[in-house]
Each structure stands twice: as C-alpha cells, then as structure tokens.
Amino acid sequence: MKKMIFFMTGLTIMFSACAQTQPVDSTQTNKTDSTMSNTINKTDEEWKKELTPDEYRVLRQHGTERAFTGEFYDNHDEGTYTCAGCGTPLFPSDTKFNSGTGWPSYYAPMNDSCVAETKDSSLGMVRAEVHCAKCGGHLGHVFDDGPKPTGLRYCINSISLDFIKK
C-alpha cells in the first residue's frame, strides 16, 4: 500500500509539473536551421494579441496541455498539421501514429527545416524540445522510441497546431 501511495504521489507531482509554464528564452526559441527563411520575431504583447491565452501559454511559455484532451489527439483525417502561431506546415498526416501517450505523435516532420530542437533539462531529465523553426513556438518534445522508418516520436501539443484537411 505504501508503494502505491508513493507511486500515485509521484505521478501527481510529475503531471502538475508538466502543466506549469516556463518563460520563453529567446536565445532558444529563435534557433533555426539556416534553410528556414523569414523567421518571425514578435514581442510578447504582439503574441498575446494574436493567440488565445491557452495557445500563448503553450507556444510562448513552453506549457503543456493535459494528455488525452487535445483537439488532434484522435484526428485521423488526411491533411497537414501547421503551426498555430504562424501557419508553417509542420507534419503530414501520414506520419501520425497512435503512441498511447495522450498527445498527437508523428514519426517525421514535413522537412528538416520546419522544426528546431533545443535541450530541455526540466523535470529532472534531459529531453529534446521541439519548436517551430519559423516563429519559435513551443510544440512539444521528440523522443527516440518511435516507429520505423525514423525511430522518432514527435510528441506535440494539439493546441500548438492547426490542421488543413486534404
């Protein structure tokens, strides 16, 4: 029983920490591949005017939506997932798969220049955080436990995305 209580307490702490936000470090969020042109640089006030409060919390403050609640978690339509901040095409629907994590997951982005990665050392672990290469918006994280052909799992917040149906 003590082990179960300890385990449940740990899960509660972990999930509440995931929902907390972190301020945007502009040196990381604007890290882009040299092939991505016309990067977008806006002030916090400009972003706040254009995004909903929840979009701002995730895209600009590195927040996380709760698992299994996002609009695109269970979307099976054909099309393209784009950045909710700037409209950049990010993930084709044919790379989406059910990872069982509660967030939309993809094994590959549209191309190598549409997303950027930075080191995330929060929550007592080191992960690769994924950003839109054009506007620097926080999308989620990428892990090396995905399916073939890439072996990658881009675990992305639905609220960071829009969808253009084919």
Side-chain angles (χ1 to χ4, degrees):
M1 185 66 173
K2 284 184 181 181
K3 287 182 181 180
M4 182 61 130
I5 292 170
F6 180 75
F7 176 74
M8 295 304 289
T9 302
L11 280 178
T12 301
I13 291 168
M14 183 178 80
F15 283 114
S16 64
C18 287
Q20 294 176 0
T21 59
Q22 302 169 358
V24 173
D25 177 348
S26 62
T27 61
Q28 289 186 346
T29 58
N30 289 322
K31 178 182 173 186
T32 61
D33 184 293
S34 60
T35 60
M36 177 58 84
S37 62
N38 302 320
T39 58
I40 298 171
N41 293 301
K42 296 181 182 181
T43 66
D44 279 343
E45 289 307 311
E46 289 172 312
W47 284 117
K48 285 179 182 178
K49 287 178 185 175
E50 292 181 21
L51 302 172
T52 69
D54 285 337
E55 288 172 334
Y56 181 82
R57 182 182 62 79
V58 173
L59 285 163
R60 307 313 309 167
Q61 296 181 312
H62 302 235
T64 301
E65 65 191 0
R66 288 184 328 202
F68 303 100
T69 63
E71 176 182 3
F72 300 121
Y73 165 69
D74 199 29
N75 182 32
H76 301 287
D77 293 334
E78 288 185 38
T80 301
Y81 293 89
T82 63
C83 176
C86 69
T88 296
L90 299 173
F91 298 97
S93 62
D94 62 354
T95 66
K96 188 173 188 284
F97 68 99
N98 183 358
S99 66
T101 62
W103 290 276
S105 297
Y106 310 85
Y107 62 78
M110 283 298 250
N111 57 58
D112 291 337
S113 65
C114 66
V115 296
E117 295 178 21
T118 55
K119 182 180 173 182
D120 176 3
S121 300
S122 65
L123 304 176
M125 62 183 110
V126 177
R127 302 176 290 174
E129 189 169 357
V130 180
H131 302 272
C132 171
K134 189 164 187 170
C135 73
H138 168 74
L139 303 172
H141 293 86
V142 61
F143 303 93
D144 62 1
D145 60 359
K148 292 180 181 182
T150 65
L152 298 175
R153 173 175 51 96
Y154 289 84
C155 193
I156 307 298
N157 291 287
S158 285
I159 202 157
S160 299
L161 303 171
D162 284 328
F163 183 71
I164 300 171
K165 193 172 181 175
K166 190 173 185 179

